[in-house]
């Protein structure tokens, strides 16, 4: 027989080799055993000692000569010892239900962690407070999207919070939908953000409502069309990575508000240009000097790449500037 045939009885390959050698060459000592088995004396001695403990090898008290017991006795002894050991293992397995409690505790800990990764925030006041709190603890960057008009009830609180954290040094990137910029207050808010160092972009494309703090925590509206219904705090890494990818894609598809959007005065000039032919009448209606009025007109014609006032008004409407 080749290989470790006695492994089923609990012997290692080296122990089996020593036992077989002692059956073939009884009365040999450790040096011969080690040489014949290709092992050092320490390894041979360890194998012989275990075989003696198992009762399948006999040896002189001076360890000068060893021999193996007859195979029938050896196999019977090893089989009984093996069965006894297996019975102990079976008893341990059968009594393993006590492990359920410890494993259940681990499961519950994991479930608690999962809950912490997704938290519900209800009501507009709680959402505003949550944004302020998460902004306070943010240390690097905040990413924000406004897919539509900012509620008047929230605008003052949002403005105050944003400007406070910008002054503290928090980097901000904000995407505003052009429909939000139709509101004069939001338009001024966007200008203030840009003046304080925030990067602000506008888009006419689809936009979700979310805020991401330090790329580790996100706040997502449970209903994009109604922020008063609450939001979901997301800390789950997979969902967070998806939201970050979505924000970066929306950012790449938007344009810089500071470069593209008109100031409040320019919007007023555009509205008057669409109705009044004469510069003098337009300047008088807005209460500004003729020179200032014409300066705005020239700047708008250039930015809108329009050859005349009529074309400029059309282009402004297309861009939702008026």
């Amino acid at each position: 027989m080749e290989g470790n045939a006695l492994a089923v009885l609990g012997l290692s390959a080296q122990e089996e080799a020593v036992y077989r050698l002692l059956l073939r060459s009884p009365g040999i000592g450790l040096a011969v055993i080690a040489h014949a088995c290709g092992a050092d004396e320490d390894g041979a001695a360890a194998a012989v000692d275990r075989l003696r403990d198992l009762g399948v090898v006999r040896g002189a008290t001076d360890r000068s000569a060893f021999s193996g017991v007859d195979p029938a006795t050896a196999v019977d002894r090893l089989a009984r010892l093996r069965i006894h050991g297996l019975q102990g293992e079976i008893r341990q397995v059968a009594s393993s239900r006590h492990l359920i409690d410890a494993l259940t505790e681990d499961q519950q800990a994991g479930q608690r962690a999962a809950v912490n990764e997704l938290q519900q925030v209800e009501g507009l006041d709680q959402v505003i407070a949550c944004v302020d709190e998460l902004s306070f603890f943010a240390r690097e960057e905040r990413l924000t999207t406004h897919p539509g008009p900012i509620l008047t009830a929230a605008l003052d609180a949002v403005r105050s919070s944003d400007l406070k954290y910008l002054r503290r040094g928090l980097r901000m990137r904000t995407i505003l939908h052009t429909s939000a910029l139709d509101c004069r207050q939001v338009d001024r808010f966007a200008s203030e953000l840009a003046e304080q160092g925030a990067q602000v972009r506008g888009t006419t494309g689809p936009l979700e409502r979310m805020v991401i703090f330090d790329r580790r925590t996100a706040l997502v509206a449970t209903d994009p069309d109604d922020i008063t219904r609450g939001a979901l705090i997301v800390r789950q890494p997979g969902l967070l990575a998806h939201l970050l990818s979505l924000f970066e894609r929306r950012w790449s598809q938007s344009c810089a508000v500071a470069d593209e959007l008109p100031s409040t005065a320019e919007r007023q000039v555009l509205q008057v240009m669409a109705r009044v032919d004469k510069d003098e009448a337009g300047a008088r209606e807005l209460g500004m000097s003729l020179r200032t009025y014409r300066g705005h007109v020239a700047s708008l014609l250039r930015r809108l790449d329009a050859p005349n006032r009529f074309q400029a008004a059309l282009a402004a409407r297309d861009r939702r500037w008026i």
Side-chain angles (χ1 to χ4, degrees):
M1 296 175 64
E2 296 181 355
N4 191 191
L6 298 183
V8 68
L9 297 176
L11 295 190
S12 68
Q14 187 176 55
E15 291 164 350
E16 180 177 343
V18 170
Y19 175 64
R20 287 176 179 274
L21 175 65
L22 293 176
L23 289 177
R24 294 192 299 268
S25 306
I28 61 177
L30 278 177
V32 177
I33 293 172
H35 177 72
C37 293
D40 56 36
E41 286 200 21
D42 289 340
V48 169
D49 287 343
R50 182 162 188 271
L51 291 170
R52 292 179 69 183
D53 292 340
L54 292 171
V56 298
V57 164
R58 292 188 294 267
T61 56
D62 61 359
R63 299 170 64 88
S64 61
F66 299 95
S67 60
V69 303
D70 69 274
T73 301
V75 170
D76 182 64
R77 185 182 297 276
L78 291 172
R80 282 188 286 108
L81 290 171
R82 182 66 172 151
I83 290 171
H84 180 73
L86 289 173
Q87 287 174 337
E89 291 182 29
I90 291 171
R91 285 193 294 272
Q92 289 180 341
V93 171
S95 62
S96 63
R97 289 191 61 82
H98 70 280
L99 299 173
I100 294 175
D101 291 340
L103 295 172
T104 300
E105 288 181 9
D106 290 340
Q107 181 188 40
Q108 290 173 345
Q111 290 172 342
R112 286 193 296 270
V115 169
N116 289 335
E117 290 177 345
L118 294 173
Q119 292 179 271
Q120 181 77 34
V121 179
E122 296 184 356
L124 180 61
D125 290 342
Q126 290 299 315
V127 171
I128 293 172
C130 187
V131 170
D132 190 59
E133 179 182 354
L134 291 171
S135 297
F136 177 82
F137 288 105
R139 290 292 173 264
E140 298 175 5
E141 182 182 48
R142 201 187 79 185
L143 313 175
T144 308
T145 61
H146 293 289
I150 302 175
L151 295 178
T152 303
L155 184 57
D156 288 343
V158 170
R159 175 182 174 277
S160 175
S161 174
D162 284 8
L163 295 177
K164 174 174 64 177
Y165 294 114
L166 273 171
R167 286 192 291 269
R168 193 193 72 186
L170 188 66
R171 296 194 308 274
M172 288 188 186
R173 284 193 285 158
T174 299
I175 307 174
L176 292 153
H177 197 272
T178 51
S179 61
L181 292 163
D182 287 340
C183 172
R184 290 183 183 278
Q185 290 176 299
V186 176
D187 185 22
R188 287 196 295 270
F189 170 53
S191 299
E192 284 183 298
L193 288 179
E195 289 169 2
Q196 292 297 323
Q199 297 182 63
V200 185
R201 290 190 175 185
T203 182
T204 58
L207 197 61
E208 299 70 24
R209 193 183 298 275
M210 60 184 171
V211 190
I212 304 175
F213 308 85
D214 282 347
R215 298 178 171 264
R216 288 191 288 270
T217 306
L219 194 69
V220 183
T222 52
D223 183 347
D225 297 325
D226 186 5
I227 189 60
T228 63
R229 296 187 61 180
L232 196 65
I233 301 175
V234 179
R235 294 187 177 90
Q236 204 282 328
L239 289 176
L240 199 56
H242 175 74
L243 293 173
L244 282 166
S245 176
L246 183 60
F247 179 90
E248 295 297 350
R249 185 160 62 251
R250 298 292 187 242
W251 182 262
S252 67
Q253 295 167 348
S254 58
C255 58
V257 170
D259 294 337
E260 296 293 332
L261 296 175
S263 65
T264 301
E266 288 174 327
R267 283 180 183 272
Q268 293 172 341
V269 170
L270 280 168
Q271 290 168 348
V272 171
M273 281 171 55
R275 296 184 287 99
V276 177
D277 293 332
K278 301 293 185 180
D279 289 347
E280 292 80 359
R284 187 166 52 253
E285 181 175 331
L286 294 175
M288 61 176 62
S289 70
L290 180 60
R291 181 177 180 180
T292 299
Y293 181 86
R294 284 176 171 168
H296 283 310
V297 170
S299 174
L300 289 166
L301 290 174
R302 182 174 62 256
R303 289 171 60 190
L304 291 166
D305 193 25
N308 54 55
R309 289 164 172 74
F310 177 73
Q311 293 294 330
L314 292 178
R317 286 197 180 94
D318 289 341
R319 297 191 187 192
R320 299 176 65 89
W321 285 6
I322 57 174

